[in-house]
Amino acid sequence: MAGPLPQLAPTRLLYSSCSTERTLQCSCSFHGIPTPSVQWWMEGSLVDENNPDGDLQVTSTIIAPWANSTISLAEKPKKSTKLLCKGKNRNGTHALSILLIPRKSPSSSKTFIDGLIQGIVYGTIATALMFLCFSPLIMKYIRMKLTKEVAAIKAENNPTVRPSQEAKMPLKPEEPGKSTISSSSENQILHPLP
């Protein structure tokens, strides 16, 4: 007597991984009843398992109801590359899209460092040139300010030029017998009238 027929199951992705140790390898594992078939697509083109090109190699292992498949790339992609791992049986299809993005090469970081150093050097040169261009104006302003300060100090120390000094003129008395007041730069002196 025959056993019960296995129930049908649509294809399902159970596991996927990518590694970049020696070569770039990506794997997909599918489960389904009947056992699914697995196909790899790269940039929209089907990758044949018997690919004569040595750059791509596809290896598949089928142990019912599981199907495992691995794609190996001999060289890491130089630009972003889209991989598609697709498992299907008559009950359904399941796919996984993988986007491979290349790592930045050391030359791009070296280019950044070189550009940074070059920017610092050019900035320093531009600052020095601006200082040299504006230093005559700065010096002229400083000289004018110092000249004004020196002139003010000289005016304070020279009594003949002092603006606050008043002329020595006796005041006319309005009434006889009163004192006349005359001013001096130091103090006021009262003189009696004759």
Side-chain angles (χ1 to χ4, degrees):
M1 187 169 221
L5 292 174
Q7 293 195 349
L8 300 177
T11 300
R12 294 181 56 162
L13 177 69
L14 296 180
Y15 174 77
S16 67
S17 69
C18 283
S19 72
T20 57
E21 289 177 11
R22 292 183 195 146
T23 61
L24 178 71
Q25 288 188 337
C26 290
S27 299
C28 290
S29 295
F30 291 95
H31 178 272
I33 300 174
T35 305
S37 63
V38 181
Q39 294 177 326
W40 284 95
W41 298 74
M42 184 174 199
E43 293 296 325
S45 300
L46 178 64
V47 177
D48 188 11
E49 279 196 41
N50 302 318
N51 189 9
D53 186 9
D55 291 346
L56 294 171
Q57 185 178 2
V58 176
T59 309
S60 295
T61 306
I62 298 174
I63 302 172
W66 293 276
N68 302 318
S69 185
T70 302
I71 187 169
S72 300
L73 284 79
E75 291 183 12
K76 294 177 183 172
K78 293 181 175 44
K79 61 177 188 157
S80 296
T81 305
K82 185 177 178 184
L83 283 177
L84 180 71
C85 176
K86 187 161 133 184
K88 69 178 183 175
N89 65 11
R90 65 178 179 227
N91 296 316
T93 301
H94 201 168
L96 172 69
S97 181
I98 303 166
L99 181 62
L100 303 172
I101 300 174
R103 289 185 181 170
K104 290 183 179 180
S105 64
S107 63
S108 65
S109 62
K110 184 180 182 309
T111 304
F112 172 75
I113 297 295
D114 289 347
L116 181 65
I117 292 170
Q118 188 176 12
I120 290 170
V121 169
Y122 286 161
T124 304
I125 291 171
T127 304
L129 287 174
M130 286 181 65
F131 177 75
L132 290 174
C133 290
F134 288 113
S135 62
L137 295 173
I138 295 169
M139 294 305 292
K140 183 177 180 182
Y141 174 77
I142 292 171
R143 275 192 228 120
M144 285 175 52
K145 193 160 179 95
L146 286 174
T147 304
K148 285 181 183 178
E149 287 178 12
V150 168
I153 291 171
K154 282 184 179 178
E156 260 180 37
N157 293 336
N158 192 350
T160 59
V161 188
R162 189 177 299 176
S164 64
Q165 187 176 8
E166 297 174 7
K168 295 183 179 178
M169 294 178 28
L171 294 177
K172 291 186 180 180
E174 294 179 14
E175 297 178 23
K178 291 206 171 178
S179 303
T180 303
I181 301 173
S182 68
S183 64
S184 123
S185 62
E186 300 299 323
N187 53 21
Q188 293 180 347
I189 302 171
L190 294 176
H191 299 281
L193 286 175

